[in-house]
Amino acid sequence: MRHFNVDRAPEGVDRDDWESHIWQMQHRVRGAEDLARYIDPTADELSAIEKLAETFRFVITPYYASLMERDNPDCPLRRQVVPVSEELWDGAGLADPLDEVAHSPVKNVIRVYPDRIAFCVNNECALYCRFCLRKRMVGEPEWTMQKRELGEALDWIARTPEIRDVLLTGGDPLVYTDDRLDWLIGRLREIPHVEIVRLGTRLPVTLPYRVTDALCEMLKRHHPIWVNTHFNHPKEITPASIAACEKLVNAGIPVGNQTVLLKGINDDPATMKQLNEALVAMRVRPYYCYQAQLLDGTAHFRVRIEDGIELFRELRGRTSGFAIPQYVLDTPHGKVPITHQTSLGRDGDDYVVEAWDGEIWREPNP
Ligand SMILES: *Cc1c(COP(=O)(O)O)cnc(C)c1O
Ligand code: SF4
């Protein structure tokens, strides 16, 4: 029997309110005072919240806040969403490491591959992750998408016949109401060359009550729909987040997971294995694990690439093949898989490979 972390409403909060995503969005933690209902913030956290107020929004859903450990500043969930002063030490970070602005044919459409795009449909998330790659835009009013601008992006997709795969991202597309999302996907579905629509959303993790039966019914009408969500730690797997993912899967939507490799949070083989095995148990397929980008204020989250490669090498052969995500480095030229080299090349008439247990195998290959 597995034991999951369980979200708990603070005293006085009605359970029906708590499980309403609208209530959750309206009652988000926005400052030190709200935060104190869930954890005992350290002096360092309090000072970082104050100093970072102007730079990168601090917002947490009550649901996610309730999963954090009250008196452990190293809690892997707390570290993802509560700033610390290390975030103020800039290092060599860049605001837009993937040069996404230069890869945008129209506002908020990012194209690095011939046949598919990331379409940033909004700039809002349920909460803001301190390591976010799109820090420059999420939570920033200037990146808000007006309906007219969405229309311009849709027109661009309609007149670009190579685009067969549209990834709705942001921000988070599930921050939209069902009606608005229905309208947007409906417009994409009118474009004959758009074969698949994917949603990149962290809401199954940060606000699982957003995944309602009504949402799934609506999405089902637009199949094929694929979803990628973003769990980073086994403690994010709760009865509520399991229910959210299972609803999506039961609606015929393949659900994948993208993790970010984060120092002190999930950068050890045991945690990574536990996370991905739990995902597979709930029918969520591990997809990518991203190397954290070199970004302003995220140096304290970064793992050396060599260490990441070694971590995934240790998982190979020790768990189900489909419980291992592809470790990738995102670059302005797209995602590049980074793996331990197991193809050792040709030796005479043999092709030489290294197996997961370190054994060298020579495959006759004249
Ligand atoms: C990640 C990404 C995609 C999708 O890539 P897949 O490898 O097909 O999942 C498409 N466009 C952009 C800009 C991306 O960053
Ligand atoms: S949910 Fe995704 S886009 Fe939003 S802040 Fe977190 S990492 Fe960034």
Side-chain angles (χ1 to χ4, degrees):
M1 188 61 201
R2 286 173 182 273
H3 292 278
F4 296 110
N5 201 4
V6 178
D7 58 308
R8 289 182 207 288
E11 202 137 333
V13 177
D14 188 75
R15 191 71 204 174
D16 286 341
D17 283 341
W18 183 258
E19 294 185 2
S20 149
H21 63 97
I22 297 164
W23 184 93
Q24 285 275 335
M25 287 297 275
Q26 285 168 346
H27 292 80
R28 288 185 290 175
V29 171
R30 291 172 187 283
E33 214 173 296
D34 301 336
L35 189 62
R37 296 184 79 178
Y38 301 95
I39 62 169
D40 300 326
T42 62
D44 184 73
E45 286 170 328
L46 289 175
S47 123
I49 290 168
E50 198 185 302
K51 291 190 185 125
L52 286 157
E54 298 293 300
T55 347
F56 185 55
R57 267 173 80 180
F58 169 70
V59 182
I60 310 174
T61 54
Y63 164 84
Y64 198 86
S66 81
L67 300 175
M68 303 189 298
E69 291 166 57
R70 179 169 275 281
D71 35 48
N72 177 13
D74 296 326
C75 164
L77 278 59
R78 179 162 164 178
R79 288 212 40 227
Q80 292 183 53
V81 292
V82 179
V84 291
S85 53
E86 282 163 299
E87 210 178 303
L88 295 154
W89 310 340
D90 259 350
L94 305 159
D96 181 11
L98 299 181
D99 213 8
E100 289 185 331
V101 170
H103 284 91
S104 299
V106 277
K107 185 176 169 186
N108 291 7
V109 167
I110 306 161
R111 187 189 196 185
V112 295
Y113 300 111
D115 69 331
R116 55 205 195 277
I117 53 164
F119 181 8
C120 300
V121 295
N122 73 0
N123 63 332
E124 294 271 335
C125 295
L127 53 67
Y128 294 97
C129 311
R130 307 316 302 180
F131 49 84
C132 179
L133 164 69
R134 301 227 168 87
K135 259 187 183 180
R136 73 189 147 79
M137 62 183 286
V138 295
E140 296 296 326
E142 69 186 281
W143 287 96
T144 308
M145 272 299 241
Q146 311 297 333
K147 204 161 181 177
R148 181 184 54 78
E149 289 170 330
L150 286 176
E152 282 167 12
L154 288 163
D155 290 344
W156 180 86
I157 297 167
R159 61 172 195 270
T160 312
E162 301 85 54
I163 303 302
R164 44 163 284 282
D165 174 355
V166 174
L167 162 61
L168 303 181
T169 175
D172 201 306
L174 287 189
V175 170
Y176 273 17
T177 61
D178 288 3
D179 283 350
R180 195 173 164 91
L181 199 56
D182 191 22
W183 168 81
L184 180 68
I185 302 176
R187 285 289 310 271
L188 286 167
R189 279 283 166 250
E190 288 167 16
I191 303 172
H193 52 265
V194 173
E195 291 168 11
I196 59 171
V197 175
R198 325 189 213 178
L199 276 69
T201 174
R202 210 177 176 203
L203 265 60
V205 184
T206 58
L207 180 48
Y209 301 118
R210 173 66 187 94
V211 183
T212 59
D213 294 335
L215 173 75
C216 294
E217 282 303 312
M218 182 276 284
L219 291 175
K220 253 168 98 166
R221 289 200 300 275
H222 296 290
H223 268 319
I225 299 285
W226 290 60
V227 165
N228 265 328
T229 187
H230 176 176
F231 285 88
N232 286 330
H233 193 274
K235 282 194 163 171
E236 293 170 337
I237 296 173
T238 67
S241 62
I242 293 172
C245 293
E246 291 193 337
K247 269 185 197 181
L248 292 166
V249 174
N250 290 343
I253 300 168
V255 180
N257 187 67
Q258 311 194 147
T259 297
V260 181
L261 186 61
L262 297 167
K263 186 155 66 184
I265 295 177
N266 60 15
D267 66 332
D268 63 285
T271 304
M272 195 51 88
K273 184 167 181 288
Q274 196 190 356
L275 169 66
N276 287 293
E277 288 178 353
L279 289 170
V280 164
M282 60 202 248
R283 291 180 288 156
V284 172
R285 168 74 150 100
Y287 184 45
Y288 285 145
C289 177
Y290 290 100
Q291 170 64 15
Q293 298 291 331
L294 194 57
L295 208 70
D296 282 348
T298 61
H300 58 298
F301 285 122
R302 284 171 52 85
V303 175
R304 282 170 64 238
I305 292 177
E306 295 89 322
D307 296 339
I309 290 173
E310 198 50 36
L311 188 161
F312 285 97
R313 178 189 181 182
E314 283 187 41
L315 294 190
R316 179 65 48 198
R318 292 178 179 84
T319 186
S320 316
F322 55 75
I324 306 175
Q326 173 81 259
Y327 180 40
V328 291
L329 178 66
D330 214 347
T331 74
H333 305 276
K335 295 171 185 72
V336 182
I338 33 181
T339 60
H340 172 68
Q341 192 56 261
T342 52
S343 297
L344 304 179
R346 175 174 289 277
D347 182 18
D349 276 349
D350 295 341
Y351 196 87
V352 187
V353 294
E354 183 194 305
W356 69 275
D357 55 2
E359 289 296 314
I360 301 297
W361 175 255
R362 308 178 71 92
E363 180 72 15
N365 183 42

